[in-house]
Amino acid sequence: MPFDIEWVRSRFPDRRIDWHSSIGSTMTEASRLAASGCEFGSVAGAEEQTAGQGRYGRAWHSEAGSGLYVSIVLPKPEHPSVVPMVTLALGLAAVEAILKATDLACDLRWPNDLLLESKKCGGILTQLEGPAIIAGIGINVNQSEFPPELSPLATSLRIASGRQHSRERLLVELLPSIDNFCALLDSEGREPILRMFSCASSYVYGRRVEVDLGESVLHGTTAGLNESGFLILRGDDGSENVIVAGGVRPCS
Ligand code: BTN
């Protein structure tokens, strides 16, 4: 079913929502919108991405008509140290929106993987663009299968629940959730987001994980978030490493 963008627009009459049938990446389009001075809250979305971007330069599989692929132009927090917290706030917003729209309860894997049944059903990518943050959110909604190289790691809301879900409803829940979690971060600071993320994620405390840092891999047990929202990893010798960025995977 083609995305009913007019229904979504009717729910947000004051918001700019650009919708593309096919695009390289909504990140590029939203960066262009931000550079041209669009209002915060503006959205670039697409039915299909031909060059969808994931973290660490990876590709984001963006099959036509199945997923939700959106990038939202948000204001950059005044203090640079708060910027990593926006990613955590976006994860909480995505979990809330998926729950409201589908009744599915996702786990969060620090910093920004959305998981169902321990497989990835969505991801978040943030980029700075002048006074804006470009918040890219990809949710696997109605994919019935994935390419062989992704299928051990990826799932969709449809695969996890055995039924199709409305991508429009998901976007209608997502936009106010993002507004609310970002407003909370702005008004109350980091503490509520840190607390909520720690409750919502099974990865924050006591998980055996390996962390791919690019040039090396660390092993250890997760031991909470520090005040900046970075993951604390306790090694078997009791040493603590603060993970600022890295791919976290479960291990035994
Ligand atoms: C990740 O690697 O987990 C982040 C994936 C982010 C994917 C979304 S889809 C919408 C937006 N456009 C992109 O090209 N990437 C993000």
Side-chain angles (χ1 to χ4, degrees), residues 3-5 8-9 15-33 41-50 52 62-65 67-73 134-139 167 171 174-175:
F3 194 85
D4 187 352
I5 187 59
V8 176
R9 285 188 181 127
R15 194 187 284 253
R16 176 172 183 171
I17 306 178
D18 291 359
W19 206 256
H20 304 265
S21 52
S22 182
I23 200 171
S25 164
T26 59
M27 297 305 283
T28 317
E29 185 56 22
S31 296
R32 197 187 61 72
L33 288 180
S42 298
V43 179
E47 281 289 77
E48 172 193 43
Q49 297 186 115
T50 54
S62 309
E63 182 187 309
L68 186 64
Y69 317 117
V70 288
S71 296
I72 302 139
V73 180
I134 310 300
I137 302 184
I139 300 175
R167 293 177 297 145
L171 183 55
L174 183 62
L175 296 176

Side-chain angles (χ1 to χ4, degrees), residues 8 28 45 48 52 63 89-91 93-94 108 115 118 121 125 158 176 197 199 210 214 218:
V8 176
T28 317
E48 172 193 43
E63 182 187 309
L90 291 168
L108 281 162
L115 305 178
S118 303
C121 66
L125 182 67
R158 175 180 173 179
F197 193 96
C199 288
E210 59 181 37
L218 290 177

